[in-house]
Amino acid sequence: MKWKVGDSAQLTAVVDDQRIRNFAVAVEDLNPIHLDDEAAMKSIFGRRVAHGMISASFISAILGTRLPGPGSILLGQSFKYIAPVYVDDIVTASVTVTAIRDDKPILTLDTKAVNQHGQTVLTGEATVLFRELDDWRERQS
Amino acid sequence: MKWKVGDSAQLTAVVDDQRIRNFAVAVEDLNPIHLDDEAAMKSIFGRRVAHGMISASFISAILGTRLPGPGSILLGQSFKYIAPVYVDDIVTASVTVTAIRDDKPILTLDTKAVNQHGQTVLTGEATVLFRELDDWRERQS
């Protein structure tokens, strides 16, 4: 295991209108609160907000590409949605290793996302099984 | 509250290559296991798999558009990834109300996704605050 408790990684992205619309189509989520100014004005937020799952998916993106990275298999995730993400907000998602099992290559990570004001928008936890891609191949051959 | 315990809704969608690529770009998740046949062959799955968050996002799509529907505010979600979703699999996501609080309009729902073979690919739970969009507006005026 090349990772240790305390290791962390992050990803920053602008959640602009195009990203929200692309996500909406990709996952069939055409909720008007994300896409329609007039409907969104009636909501508690008073304007359009991004899908919470966009920020959540940034976390999965880090897990799959950076820490632990390719070869990861997501076992479970939890999310608490703390605050809305508005159109054009800049979200920084991050993951930090909190535990690694002795008996299996399974990591637990604290996960969160903050906006450009430093406000936490999402917190959670992830459990990931990790082996390098090349190690998977050796086990199969 | 127009909903009651036991109410359910579902959404079926084909997780084809285009959807996977659109999702990958929307959430910055270019993990090669989702996009690159050669890298994916080295993984435990032996071929490309969809992002787990696509199935997870179908669940959020139901919550935001159908049950409870527009006016929902997602408070929290958990997911266990049970089995991979392969390119061109047909995923049916579903949500079922398991509890409604007496003191606040907060619903708890069991959530899951199955593939075209009836195999469960994802299970979880969601907690949602629900008011109709028009009801939010009245409270603001």
Side-chain angles (χ1 to χ4, degrees):
Chain A
M1 176 66 64
K2 66 183 179 183
W3 304 109
K4 62 183 189 302
V5 171
D7 283 347
S8 67
Q10 57 182 42
L11 181 163
T12 297
V14 180
V15 182
D16 59 14
D17 184 59
Q18 192 59 57
R19 188 187 297 279
I20 292 169
R21 292 187 186 280
N22 289 347
F23 182 87
V25 171
V27 306
E28 310 270 334
D29 189 343
L30 306 178
N31 184 341
I33 200 172
H34 307 305
L35 304 171
D36 179 332
D37 286 319
E38 196 173 339
M41 275 180 58
K42 299 181 189 176
S43 79
I44 191 174
F45 304 120
R47 52 187 163 132
R48 285 201 289 139
V49 297
H51 306 72
M53 290 298 267
I54 294 179
S55 300
S57 297
F58 290 156
I59 287 167
S60 300
I62 302 173
L63 299 172
T65 61
R66 302 185 188 191
L67 195 172
S72 297
I73 297 176
L74 268 169
L75 301 179
Q77 278 181 288
S78 63
F79 301 105
K80 285 187 183 172
Y81 301 99
I82 308 292
V85 171
Y86 297 104
V87 182
D88 292 330
D89 274 3
I90 302 165
V91 169
T92 298
S94 62
V95 311
T96 304
V97 180
T98 56
I100 300 174
R101 279 175 57 165
D102 289 329
D103 57 332
K104 292 180 180 177
I106 292 179
L107 299 88
T108 305
L109 304 100
D110 262 351
T111 63
K112 73 170 180 173
V114 302
N115 65 18
Q116 69 274 24
H117 309 297
Q119 185 180 19
T120 300
V121 296
L122 181 151
T123 62
E125 190 176 81
T127 313
V128 181
L129 175 64
F130 175 68
R131 288 200 185 98
E132 301 282 354
L133 282 180
D134 286 339
D135 190 34
W136 286 120
R137 184 169 48 181
E138 283 163 19
R139 284 166 181 268
Q140 288 160 27
S141 63
Chain B
M1 176 65 66
K2 67 183 180 185
W3 304 109
K4 62 183 189 302
V5 171
D7 283 347
S8 66
Q10 58 183 41
L11 180 163
T12 297
V14 180
V15 182
D16 59 15
D17 184 59
Q18 193 58 56
R19 187 187 298 279
I20 292 169
R21 293 187 186 281
N22 289 347
F23 182 87
V25 171
V27 305
E28 309 270 334
D29 190 344
L30 306 178
N31 184 340
I33 200 173
H34 307 305
L35 303 171
D36 178 332
D37 286 320
E38 196 172 339
M41 275 180 57
K42 299 180 188 176
S43 78
I44 190 175
F45 304 119
R47 53 187 161 129
R48 285 201 290 138
V49 296
H51 306 72
M53 290 298 265
I54 294 179
S55 301
S57 297
F58 290 156
I59 287 167
S60 300
I62 302 173
L63 298 172
T65 61
R66 301 185 189 191
L67 194 173
S72 296
I73 297 176
L74 267 169
L75 301 180
Q77 278 181 286
S78 64
F79 301 105
K80 285 187 184 172
Y81 302 98
I82 309 291
V85 171
Y86 297 104
V87 182
D88 292 329
D89 275 2
I90 303 165
V91 169
T92 298
S94 62
V95 311
T96 304
V97 180
T98 57
I100 300 175
R101 277 173 60 165
D102 289 328
D103 57 332
K104 293 180 180 176
I106 293 179
L107 300 87
T108 305
L109 304 99
D110 262 352
T111 63
K112 72 170 181 173
V114 303
N115 65 18
Q116 70 274 25
H117 309 298
Q119 185 181 19
T120 299
V121 296
L122 180 152
T123 61
E125 189 176 80
T127 313
V128 181
L129 175 63
F130 175 68
R131 288 200 185 98
E132 300 282 352
L133 282 181
D134 286 338
D135 190 35
W136 287 119
R137 184 170 47 179
E138 282 163 21
R139 285 167 179 268
Q140 287 160 28
S141 62

